[in-house]
Amino acid sequence: MSKVDQIPAQPGHDDGAADPVRESMRRLPGLFALPLTLLTGRPHAGQRPIAHTPAGHLRNAVQSVLAGLLVSAFALAEAGWALVLLLPGWAMTLHGARNLRMMIYHQCAHANMWGNRRADAALGRAIAALLMIQDFGRYSAEHVSDHHALHHMTRRDPTVQAFLLTLRLRPGMSRRRMWRRVLGRTVSPVFHLRFLTARIRSYFHAATPAARTATSAGLLLAAGLAGWLHLWTLLLVGWVFPMTVLYQISNTLRLCVKHTFPAPEQTVRRGREYFAGLTNGIFLGEPAPAPGLPPARRWAAWLRWWTRMLLVHFPARYLVLTGDTVVHDFHHRYPMSRNWADYLFAREEDHRRGSPGWPPYREVWGLVAAIDLVFDSLRAADPLEYDPDLLAEANHRQLFAAFDD
């Protein structure tokens, strides 16, 4: 584990200064500047913004899904050595699907994709049917009313409910125990089956009759074409597997870094100071080797750095913290920002200006460090507020006390 992954249990405050981790990477040639910004989620000081559009993000996500399916199709057709290409095929399919869910679908819920509520809702419904996730209408209502309002990080918040009811994490648990429980869930067939069943139920239960009919017809058509064209193997291996097991692993790890839990002594739970303190920027990477090292140590340091950037931080960015999830803190400050498509540079510009009207940004480097931070916040959270078992017991005692009166 790197020094970056061992960040203490409190995120750093971002006071508008250039970040030393990202600035250390400027020792590399300029052609690495944009790839490192996309990987880390953090532009370097003075970097020229790259314009993105909502349509461009949608196109890239769809192209990633299609490219992944094509690579998987080639791997299955060639078999033998080519089967190793299933790994990048799955990765591209998963990456595109997660961007559709975490970025496009999310912005549609805020009517912020194209600024046209009807068009955004139509796209959101199409993504929900494709990925078999919560019905768009219900998600949009819950997300705006319970996640972006006074119920943020309360028991009414769907994020909190997923932590407590799905992952069964509790205040007072050690960090090690929480890790064991989460990692155990990611490899549990029972968990994945329940997760998939819940996804299907959450879609069909709340969808309109017309949407249910259209989706059922689409699934039957896909099954019929797969049988007619002898593509069952591609459908199951190239699409169903990454969209169930891999998708749900990515979703679980992403859930574990979304928001920290408020401290028990934090009695004032409103205002910008409070809401800003529950979300952090999460950047991927670690400091580049220092200059002036002896040749042998320099080569070893750069080899280790490149290995970790490509095999640790890149997968975390590409498969878990996709799209604008690294700067989710910017979204919670400006949920209706029209600059969301340029999320990395929009957040950086606000940071450079000192985040006027808001407290300084908070950040953490590394996926493991970000998960540790959230786990530690839950460990210290009020059990009577966030432990369903203790809450039920307390309510039970109150009921009998009232009966005795």
Side-chain angles (χ1 to χ4, degrees):
M1 185 176 293
S2 73
K3 293 181 180 178
V4 172
D5 289 331
Q6 297 171 0
I7 292 175
Q10 291 296 327
H13 285 276
D14 205 342
D15 58 4
D19 184 85
V21 178
R22 181 64 183 89
E23 293 306 302
S24 72
M25 301 177 193
R26 299 183 70 175
R27 301 186 188 111
L28 281 81
L31 63 91
F32 290 102
L34 182 58
L36 284 172
T37 292
L38 297 176
L39 192 160
T40 63
R42 189 77 188 266
H44 65 67
Q47 185 172 5
R48 180 178 300 177
I50 304 297
H52 293 284
T53 64
H57 285 304
L58 175 60
R59 181 178 61 251
N60 290 341
V62 172
Q63 288 176 346
S64 181
V65 170
L66 295 177
L69 289 173
L70 286 175
V71 171
S72 296
F74 175 80
L76 292 171
E78 294 296 319
W81 67 268
L83 289 177
V84 73
L85 295 177
L86 284 174
L87 294 177
W90 288 336
M92 286 186 283
T93 300
L94 176 62
H95 174 76
R98 291 299 291 168
N99 273 342
L100 285 174
R101 166 59 184 87
M102 299 308 299
M103 188 160 53
I104 307 301
Y105 181 77
H106 178 212
Q107 291 297 334
C108 287
H110 288 276
N112 206 29
M113 180 66 184
W114 290 305
N116 182 310
R117 187 171 296 275
R118 181 172 296 181
D120 287 358
L123 178 58
R125 286 192 290 268
I127 293 174
L130 175 67
L131 303 183
M132 198 51 58
I133 54 180
Q134 186 179 19
D135 170 68
F136 177 77
R138 183 171 181 178
Y139 167 77
S140 180
E142 289 182 356
H143 182 74
V144 174
S145 64
D146 292 335
H147 187 65
H148 274 274
L150 292 178
H151 302 297
H152 181 52
M153 292 309 288
T154 68
R155 289 190 302 274
R156 280 189 54 172
D157 190 331
T159 296
V160 174
Q161 293 174 11
F163 251 92
L164 304 182
L165 302 179
T166 303
L167 298 181
R168 297 191 62 78
L169 302 181
R170 298 288 186 266
M173 280 186 177
S174 68
R175 182 193 292 177
R176 181 184 296 272
R177 186 179 177 190
M178 291 187 194
W179 270 108
R180 285 202 304 266
R181 181 156 292 188
V182 168
L183 295 179
R185 292 286 193 273
T186 63
V187 297
S188 167
V190 173
F191 172 77
H192 283 291
L193 181 59
R194 288 177 176 173
F195 197 154
L196 179 59
T197 302
R199 286 169 59 186
I200 296 172
R201 186 185 299 117
S202 69
Y203 175 78
F204 280 101
H205 178 73
T208 63
R212 288 197 292 266
T213 300
T215 302
S216 299
L219 292 173
L220 290 174
L221 177 61
L225 288 174
W228 181 38
L229 300 174
H230 305 289
L231 295 177
W232 271 111
T233 302
L234 174 61
L235 179 64
L236 295 175
V237 176
W239 177 254
V240 174
F241 175 70
M243 286 299 96
T244 53
V245 175
L246 300 184
Y247 182 96
Q248 291 164 185
I249 291 174
S250 174
N251 188 88
T252 301
L253 295 176
R254 165 60 185 143
L255 172 67
C256 290
V257 297
K258 285 184 71 175
H259 299 287
T260 54
F261 287 78
E265 63 272 14
Q266 197 163 10
T267 56
V268 179
R269 297 191 176 182
R270 62 187 64 190
R272 292 183 172 186
E273 186 77 32
Y274 168 69
F275 287 108
L278 300 179
T279 315
N280 309 301
I282 305 171
F283 304 126
L284 287 306
E286 51 197 78
L293 293 174
R297 289 184 59 192
R298 182 171 66 248
W299 280 102
W302 278 107
L303 177 62
R304 181 181 183 279
W305 186 84
W306 276 111
T307 299
R308 287 187 56 79
M309 291 294 287
L310 294 176
L311 299 184
V312 177
H313 299 298
F314 174 73
R317 176 74 168 110
Y318 192 72
L319 302 176
V320 180
L321 294 172
T322 57
D324 61 351
T325 55
V326 288
V327 292
H328 194 56
D329 53 353
F330 176 78
H331 169 73
H332 271 269
R333 294 175 184 227
Y334 308 103
M336 299 304 295
S337 171
R338 294 302 181 189
N339 292 333
W340 72 265
D342 290 316
Y343 47 88
L344 299 184
F345 291 96
R347 195 263 193 192
E348 188 67 12
E349 174 62 22
D350 192 49
H351 152 68
R352 297 292 181 209
R353 294 189 295 116
S355 56
W358 287 87
Y361 280 101
R362 298 154 61 91
E363 65 180 47
V364 60
W365 281 82
L367 178 61
V368 172
I371 294 177
D372 284 345
L373 180 67
V374 174
F375 285 175
D376 289 346
S377 72
L378 177 57
R379 180 177 59 185
D382 185 357
L384 288 179
E385 182 176 6
Y386 292 109
D387 190 327
D389 302 325
L390 287 181
L391 183 63
E393 182 180 344
N395 290 338
H396 188 66
R397 288 198 301 267
Q398 291 175 4
L399 178 63
F400 273 91
F403 180 79
D404 288 339
D405 289 341

